[in-house]
Amino acid sequence: MSQPPPPPPAAASDPVTPEGGLGPVTPEHCASGPPSQAQPLLRQEAKGEAEEGEETGVQGAWGTSTAEQRRRGWGEAAEAAEEGPVEAWGSAAAAGLGTPAGGASSGRGNWRPLLAWLRRRQPQCCPCAAPLSRSAAHCCHGGTKMAALAYNLGKREINHYFSVRSAKVLALVAVLMLAVCHLASRRYRGNDSCEYLLSSGRFLGEKVWQPHSCMMHKYKVSEAKNCLVDKHVAFIGDSRIRQLFYSFVKIINPQFKEEGNKHENIPFEDKIASVKVDFLWHPEVNGSMKQCIKVWTEDSATKPHVIVAGAATWSIKIHNGSNEALTQYKINITSIAPLLEKLARTSDVYWVLQDPVYEDLLSENRKMITNEKIDAYNEAAVSILNSSTRNSKSNVKMFSVSKLIAQETIMESLDGLHLPESSRETSAMILMNVYCNKILKPVDGSCCQPQPPLTLIQKLAACFFTFSIIGYLIFYIIHRNVHRKNKPCTDLESGEEKKNIINTPVSPLEILLQSFCKLGLIMAYFYMCDRANLFMKENKFYTHSTFFIPIIYILVLGVFYNENTKETKVLNREQTDEWKGWMQLVILIYHISGASTFLPVYMHIRVLVAAYLFQTGYGHFSYFWVKGDFGIHRVCQVLFRLNFLVVVLCIVMDRPYQFYYFVPLVTVWFMVIYVTLALWPQIIQKKANGNCFWHLGLLLKLAFLLLCIWFLAYSQGAFEKIFSLWPLSKCFELKGNVYEWWFRWRLDRYVVFHGMLFAFIYLALQKRQVLSEGKGEPLFSNRISNFLLFISVVSFLTYSIWASSCKNKAECNELHPSVSVVQILAFILIRNIPGYARSVYSSFFAWFGKISLELFICQYHIWLAADTRGILVLIPGNPMLNIIVSTFIFVCVAHEISQITNDLAQIFIPKDNSSLLKRLACTAAFFCGLLILSSIQDKSRH
């Protein structure tokens, strides 16, 4: 009997396997790069080499890492391989592998083993390309192979010159340059955002006014009354000032009507709020206006707290635009300038420059009022009022922004002279911001707000990070000197280098100091972006194009960068990373575009947030059910990786824990899952396999959990009593109550339970081999698969149609907890039933999925601004370039924080229980001290 021919030897040692897809032969021991087609890893075949490249199972970054990072990465990958299904944020798999686990040290030495390996290889046609069919494999010059070769060579060149490390260095340089530019600009142009608010800005769309460099708050009735309590505001001037008066009063009382004699004084008073606003009819700058102002300077009891004055058009009209009238105007305004300056020492005085007119609409008796005349009167007012004090800047503020507003809207005027209502409302809101922002300090009203003073906790944090940076620099200098002494020497006979010592691993102290040093620098950037007045901020403005065009763009990128999965199970590791990645990118675009104002988009984003929580239930349940690991190390590891960044930000940015609502949400749900499964009787898969009775016991546990959720959801009082207990109240209170926490928890109250139930059913079906999870195989038989796919597509589209037809946000939010699981399950089935869909994933989305938690948290302060209410402006005047630069820095920072968190987790959460308990005791002492300092801080504020 003839023996079958042996396989060709080249195939046995060829690292480019069909499973790997197209991949280049790279000189590094571990290929790395941006999300791309599969990149197989070269392994040295000789066992005696100094460093052998190893696969980590997940490519977490673009670029390479140090040898010590690789050693840590291998250990994490080994742990992750044992953990089973991917978990949501906070699991060791998701958080631990969110950083580059594998890599290779750069340098010429890496090429030597590669060249030796290539010499040992059998000749092969186009080694850089993936294996092709027999018909294409006979010739290296086929179009398919040449295209694959060019593609992989191009990727290799990009990866060689642009890695995560180089990207982060570039981001650091960009931050330093931008900080210097903004400092110089503020020193040259001034640091008073009130001047920008009163003098410059632009329209976003048709009716949204955006001041230069700062954000304008839209005041509600209650806020306006609270700001103006016991205040007197006076408007003095002509009919245009009267219009501004009406718009200002309507902020306080929207029901106030424009009635009465227009050429008389008009009073307004809210006795309940103790607010008084008067309009005084003085259409010309003459002796009558001067006498009124003089009375205020002599009688402090009647002097208003805010004075808004302005006039000119009547003088032009009455005197037919003569030059003598302009001369007299200059004389009159010169006489009242000292009086206004005297009032401005104790009151806020604003002189409103005259708005342009639309000459084509002016009536015959107003034709003499031209824009040329108005400009001449404005120049006279500015020149005289600004020169009223010789040695210092005038205290009378020029309200010139109304001119810019009028230039855009005067065409909508009914008579060519008076502005449309929307423009008057904008001017009135600017006045309200100028006066009230410094009193109420709204988060989204950065104009006219001083930089908040540092709290005691912030000062201590700054000292800690400063000492960490100094300590690391000292450690680095000492280590460098030791390294120089042990530098390899050259053998004169052979010309080869001889090493005096063996490289020692990085010590935990060095990792600790280095991590806190980098974290301190990153936190300084956070503070500069969202607490200091260094960088600019702008309001959001939603248009359909600003949301949907970026969505299409990232979708194209995600489809372009795809790879074969390492396993083809339902919700495998790569697939869940991909899922988290594209959802996070959509949520980021949703936040920066201000799409929450568009209800259909809002309802679909609610499903994405629910899907994250679904993964939390699915992942943690799967781990506990399969592994049965209820040890304290596991709990501490998850809690640390979830909460470390948020705790640091609460300290540095002076924000409550509940402000970062999603982290408290997933933390509480993790603890709920843990308690549910860890309490007696502990039921795990191994125990249940021996007796089906335990499956019933687990279902009873889940039913009891569902009952508790239902009770708390419809018993707000009980929920608030639980979380109002000290010290829970310090974590879950926002603005003095826990209502916000109850609302957030209630909005997705069932989806974690759905995730746990789905995991239980899936693992049960998998155990009984009901599912076909082989590569390329449909999950069920063809008939069942087609039926389930049809049902899933219909369900998915039905939910989207319902969400798009929502008219009332409150009603839709009430239904959301019960129906969001429909679209989630439909997506899972559509994504996993076809074998080909389950066998590939987007490496682009998966890369972002590994740092999704950091992206979600960091966006609050270094991508958005004013605690997500606005947009950070690093490059003013060019929105597109600003978004590109700020996004690049934001992603680099999030990736670095992910690495820091993973490094510190290895130190703070050791596997040894005795060491872990000591660290827990220190952590408890730290939080006790933090609570005490927080209480002292709160008392000093009140």
Side-chain angles (χ1 to χ4, degrees):
M1 184 180 293
S2 61
Q3 297 291 332
S13 60
D14 191 353
V16 184
T17 61
E19 290 78 9
L22 294 175
V25 177
T26 60
E28 292 86 6
H29 297 308
C30 177
S32 61
S36 58
Q37 300 291 91
Q39 300 181 7
L41 311 178
L42 287 178
R43 296 186 179 180
Q44 299 178 7
E45 294 180 0
K47 296 183 179 180
E49 296 295 337
E51 291 185 10
E52 181 177 4
E54 296 188 30
E55 267 187 282
T56 63
V58 174
Q59 283 296 104
W62 307 353
T64 60
S65 58
T66 64
E68 180 63 23
Q69 288 173 329
R70 289 204 310 278
R71 283 192 286 272
R72 290 199 301 271
W74 298 339
E76 292 171 5
E79 289 180 17
E82 298 174 358
E83 288 182 3
V86 170
E87 302 167 15
W89 288 343
S91 66
L97 294 176
T99 57
S105 57
S106 60
R108 288 189 172 183
N110 292 349
W111 289 89
R112 296 174 181 172
L114 173 66
L115 293 173
W117 177 83
L118 287 174
R119 291 191 193 101
R120 291 195 301 271
R121 278 175 56 94
Q122 301 243 347
Q124 178 180 323
C125 183
C126 296
C128 291
L132 300 175
S133 61
R134 291 183 180 180
S135 60
H138 291 293
C139 181
C140 289
H141 303 287
T144 304
K145 280 205 162 191
M146 293 303 294
L149 177 61
Y151 173 77
N152 289 312
L153 288 175
K155 281 195 306 180
R156 186 169 63 185
E157 286 297 313
I158 293 173
N159 298 343
H160 178 71
Y161 291 105
F162 193 78
S163 63
V164 163
R165 184 180 179 84
S166 59
K168 291 175 182 176
V169 171
L170 183 61
L172 177 61
V173 172
V175 168
L176 294 176
M177 292 178 61
L178 289 168
V180 170
C181 291
H182 279 268
L183 280 172
S185 174
R186 290 190 176 276
R187 189 173 183 84
Y188 174 74
R189 300 180 60 181
N191 197 30
D192 187 4
S193 58
C194 274
E195 289 189 6
Y196 297 135
L197 178 61
L198 291 170
S199 62
S200 59
R202 70 185 192 278
F203 273 104
L204 301 176
E206 296 181 358
K207 297 182 179 180
V208 179
W209 182 254
Q210 173 58 59
H212 176 71
S213 83
C214 62
M215 295 171 60
M216 192 170 75
H217 177 66
K218 187 173 182 180
Y219 277 88
K220 300 176 183 177
V221 173
S222 59
E223 292 173 324
K225 290 181 178 180
N226 188 28
C227 168
L228 298 174
V229 62
D230 295 327
K231 297 294 188 297
H232 179 201
V233 183
F235 290 79
I236 179 171
D238 55 14
S239 58
R240 287 176 158 187
I241 299 297
R242 184 182 64 237
Q243 282 188 311
L244 187 58
F245 159 79
Y246 278 125
S247 296
F248 188 86
V249 170
K250 286 181 179 179
I251 298 176
I252 306 168
N253 182 7
Q255 283 74 40
F256 187 74
K257 297 181 179 179
E258 301 182 19
E259 55 187 13
N261 193 335
K262 295 183 178 180
H263 295 172
E264 291 182 356
N265 298 343
I266 304 173
F268 168 80
E269 185 174 6
D270 189 324
K271 295 182 178 179
I272 299 175
S274 188
V275 177
K276 186 179 180 182
V277 185
D278 290 328
F279 168 71
L280 305 177
W281 172 253
H282 291 281
E284 287 190 89
V285 180
N286 53 21
S288 175
M289 179 182 284
K290 179 180 178 180
Q291 183 61 32
C292 178
I293 295 173
K294 188 176 181 180
V295 170
W296 288 337
T297 61
E298 295 172 351
D299 186 3
S300 59
T302 60
K303 181 178 61 178
H305 298 88
V306 181
I307 300 168
V308 182
T313 54
W314 268 71
S315 297
I316 300 173
K317 176 183 175 182
I318 293 174
H319 302 285
N320 201 27
S322 65
N323 292 329
E324 292 79 7
L326 177 59
T327 304
Q328 187 62 44
Y329 180 83
K330 292 179 181 178
I331 295 171
N332 293 340
I333 203 168
T334 302
S335 66
I336 68 170
L339 300 176
L340 291 174
E341 189 65 34
K342 186 177 180 180
L343 285 172
R345 295 172 189 169
T346 55
S347 301
D348 287 2
V349 179
Y350 305 95
W351 185 266
V352 181
L353 298 183
Q354 294 299 299
D355 303 328
V357 296
Y358 191 47
E359 297 180 12
D360 295 343
L361 287 179
L362 291 174
S363 59
E364 288 299 324
N365 62 341
R366 291 174 175 169
K367 287 292 184 181
M368 69 291 296
I369 306 175
T370 64
N371 287 323
E372 183 181 354
K373 291 290 182 182
I374 286 175
D375 290 340
Y377 275 73
N378 283 337
E379 288 175 8
V382 171
S383 175
I384 294 169
L385 291 174
N386 283 339
S387 61
S388 59
T389 55
R390 295 181 181 178
N391 300 325
S392 62
K393 187 177 179 180
S394 174
N395 292 318
V396 179
K397 301 178 180 68
M398 294 292 115
F399 193 83
S400 59
V401 69
S402 60
K403 287 175 53 183
L404 299 178
I405 297 172
Q407 287 171 3
E408 300 290 335
T409 60
I410 191 63
M411 290 77 72
E412 302 173 17
S413 171
L414 297 177
D415 57 8
L417 179 66
H418 299 98
L419 294 178
E421 187 174 0
S422 61
S423 302
R424 291 182 280 141
E425 290 173 353
T426 301
S427 296
M429 194 60 70
I430 290 173
L431 275 175
M432 191 69 72
N433 274 260
V434 171
Y435 186 76
C436 293
N437 281 3
K438 57 181 175 288
I439 298 174
L440 298 185
K441 296 180 175 60
V443 173
D444 59 340
S446 61
C447 299
C448 299
Q449 269 203 60
Q451 183 174 328
L454 288 173
T455 64
L456 175 61
I457 295 176
Q458 286 176 313
K459 291 176 182 177
L460 293 174
C463 292
F464 172 79
F465 285 123
T466 303
F467 288 138
S468 297
I469 294 171
I470 295 172
Y472 176 70
L473 291 176
I474 294 172
F475 191 96
Y476 176 77
I477 292 170
I478 295 173
H479 182 75
R480 187 176 181 183
N481 290 335
V482 172
H483 180 71
R484 282 180 177 177
K485 293 178 182 178
N486 297 314
K487 188 176 181 180
C489 59
T490 305
D491 190 333
L492 296 178
E493 294 181 2
S494 63
E496 296 180 353
E497 291 185 347
K498 292 184 177 180
K499 294 184 178 180
N500 294 331
I501 59 170
I502 299 173
N503 289 331
T504 57
V506 181
S507 67
L509 178 61
E510 182 179 355
I511 296 174
L512 187 69
L513 289 174
Q514 185 186 49
S515 297
F516 280 124
C517 174
K518 292 189 290 186
L519 188 62
L521 296 175
I522 290 172
M523 289 300 111
Y525 178 64
F526 271 75
Y527 189 86
M528 285 193 301
C529 288
D530 210 20
R531 287 297 173 268
N533 291 326
L534 178 61
F535 298 122
M536 301 177 181
K537 304 174 180 68
E538 287 189 356
N539 295 89
K540 299 177 185 178
F541 178 69
Y542 174 74
T543 61
H544 292 320
S545 60
T546 57
F547 177 76
F548 289 104
I549 290 178
I551 294 292
I552 296 171
Y553 179 69
I554 65 164
L555 179 62
V556 171
L557 286 176
V559 171
F560 181 75
Y561 290 108
N562 63 83
E563 295 184 13
N564 291 330
T565 58
K566 292 180 174 62
E567 57 179 347
T568 56
K569 294 181 180 179
V570 173
L571 292 180
N572 55 67
R573 185 183 306 278
E574 291 94 346
Q575 189 184 128
T576 50
D577 282 339
E578 173 202 87
W579 192 8
K580 288 187 293 182
W582 71 257
M583 288 195 301
Q584 184 58 59
L585 292 176
V586 171
I587 290 174
L588 291 175
I589 295 170
Y590 164 81
H591 281 156
I592 202 166
S593 64
S596 59
T597 57
F598 187 46
L599 192 54
V601 172
Y602 166 82
M603 291 307 301
H604 283 86
I605 295 298
R606 290 304 328 158
V607 176
L608 300 189
V609 176
Y612 274 113
L613 294 173
F614 182 92
Q615 287 193 52
T616 297
Y618 169 81
H620 290 306
F621 178 91
S622 299
Y623 178 84
F624 290 128
W625 174 248
V626 174
K627 301 290 290 184
D629 178 11
F630 297 100
I632 190 172
H633 176 264
R634 168 69 182 177
V635 176
C636 293
Q637 191 179 49
V638 172
L639 293 180
F640 181 87
R641 282 173 166 157
L642 275 177
N643 292 275
F644 171 73
L645 176 58
V646 167
V647 170
V648 173
L649 286 178
C650 288
I651 294 170
V652 173
M653 306 302 290
D654 190 29
R655 282 293 173 262
Y657 179 65
Q658 179 55 33
F659 175 75
Y660 308 93
Y661 73 93
F662 193 79
V663 171
L665 203 58
V666 292
T667 300
V668 167
W669 278 117
F670 167 73
M671 293 306 300
V672 168
I673 296 167
Y674 175 77
V675 170
T676 301
L677 298 178
L679 284 180
W680 183 88
Q682 284 187 5
I683 306 173
I684 60 175
Q685 189 180 54
K686 186 176 180 181
K687 182 189 291 186
N689 289 337
N691 189 343
C692 292
F693 175 78
W694 290 113
H695 286 94
L696 179 60
L698 179 64
L699 291 175
L700 289 175
K701 272 191 169 186
L702 294 179
F704 179 74
L705 173 61
L706 180 62
L707 182 63
C708 293
I709 294 171
W710 179 86
F711 172 76
L712 290 175
Y714 292 97
S715 180
Q716 183 178 351
F719 185 94
E720 291 184 351
K721 284 181 180 179
I722 294 172
F723 288 97
S724 295
L725 297 174
W726 192 90
L728 288 178
S729 59
K730 298 296 293 183
C731 296
F732 297 101
E733 279 187 356
L734 195 63
K735 298 178 181 179
N737 59 69
V738 296
Y739 173 78
E740 180 73 15
W741 165 235
W742 178 77
F743 171 78
R744 294 287 186 184
W745 177 86
R746 191 173 183 270
L747 201 55
D748 295 297
R749 56 188 179 271
Y750 297 129
V751 74
V752 174
F753 171 81
H754 292 147
M756 296 170 67
L757 188 61
F758 176 83
F760 173 72
I761 296 173
Y762 164 67
L763 292 173
L765 293 176
Q766 187 186 62
K767 191 69 178 177
R768 284 157 180 75
Q769 299 181 349
V770 176
L771 308 176
S772 301
E773 294 183 301
K775 187 171 184 179
E777 298 179 1
L779 202 59
F780 304 96
S781 64
N782 289 334
R783 181 176 297 181
I784 296 176
S785 295
N786 292 335
F787 174 75
L788 289 178
L789 271 177
F790 175 77
I791 295 297
S792 299
V793 171
V794 171
S795 301
F796 191 94
L797 296 177
T798 301
Y799 181 90
S800 291
I801 293 170
W802 170 80
S804 301
S805 62
C806 274
K807 302 299 181 183
N808 186 289
K809 182 181 285 189
E811 293 178 0
C812 293
N813 280 341
E814 193 66 31
L815 290 174
H816 167 77
S818 303
V819 300
S820 61
V821 70
V822 173
Q823 197 164 40
I824 294 171
L825 291 177
F827 171 79
I828 292 173
L829 293 178
I830 293 171
R831 184 69 178 83
N832 287 277
I833 287 178
Y836 58 85
R838 204 171 59 252
S839 302
V840 296
Y841 76 103
S842 169
S843 56
F844 176 80
F845 290 143
W847 190 87
F848 286 98
K850 292 162 190 167
I851 57 171
S852 54
L853 177 61
E854 288 75 18
L855 289 172
F856 188 87
I857 299 170
C858 291
Q859 67 166 326
Y860 278 71
H861 303 295
I862 62 170
W863 198 51
L864 305 175
D867 297 342
T868 74
R869 307 292 180 85
I871 299 172
L872 179 67
V873 179
L874 299 178
I875 303 177
N878 195 327
M880 181 62 69
L881 182 60
N882 176 69
I883 287 294
I884 293 172
V885 173
S886 64
T887 301
F888 173 70
I889 297 172
F890 160 60
V891 173
C892 288
V893 169
H895 189 275
E896 184 62 32
I897 290 177
S898 177
Q899 287 187 326
I900 292 171
T901 304
N902 294 329
D903 288 342
L904 293 177
Q906 304 301 319
I907 298 173
F908 287 119
I909 314 295
K911 293 186 177 180
D912 179 52
N913 282 337
S914 61
S915 301
L916 179 58
L917 290 175
K918 292 177 183 177
R919 283 169 172 75
L920 287 178
C922 294
T923 304
F926 168 77
F927 280 108
C928 287
L930 199 61
L931 286 173
I932 293 171
L933 291 174
S934 178
S935 300
I936 296 172
Q937 204 168 267
D938 291 341
K939 288 181 181 178
S940 64
R941 283 174 178 172
H942 294 306

